[in-house]
Amino acid sequence: MKTYRVEEVDGDSVVAGRSINANTPWVAAEMATGSEVTNARGDEQRWIRVTNEASGAVNRYAFKDRR
């Protein structure tokens, strides 16, 4: 497993963050937020940044639409 820093972001401000051990950044995002996410991040106000703590690779996700 890898360690990821998962941050919930509102605009440009980090509102929550924690480290998660997971196999993929996608799974880390869902584990940390308790919500389904999508990699189709557009211009959402609230979004999730996942950083691989070893390599520094960054992934960005949006919360999945809950209609």
Side-chain angles (χ1 to χ4, degrees):
M1 283 199 194
K2 298 174 185 170
T3 303
Y4 297 95
R5 179 71 183 163
V6 181
E7 298 170 306
E8 289 184 49
V9 183
D10 188 350
D12 291 326
S13 301
V14 175
V15 295
R18 61 190 276 203
S19 290
I20 296 287
N21 292 319
N23 289 323
T24 67
W26 181 285
V27 171
E30 291 189 339
M31 288 174 61
T33 63
S35 299
E36 288 184 76
V37 299
T38 178
N39 64 354
R41 181 177 180 264
D43 60 354
E44 290 84 9
Q45 178 70 21
R46 263 187 82 225
W47 56 283
I48 304 109
R49 178 174 47 224
V50 181
T51 306
N52 181 313
E53 292 190 346
S55 71
V58 177
N59 294 276
R60 292 167 180 82
Y61 300 100
F63 288 97
K64 193 167 186 178
D65 192 20
R66 297 182 189 170
R67 289 182 206 190

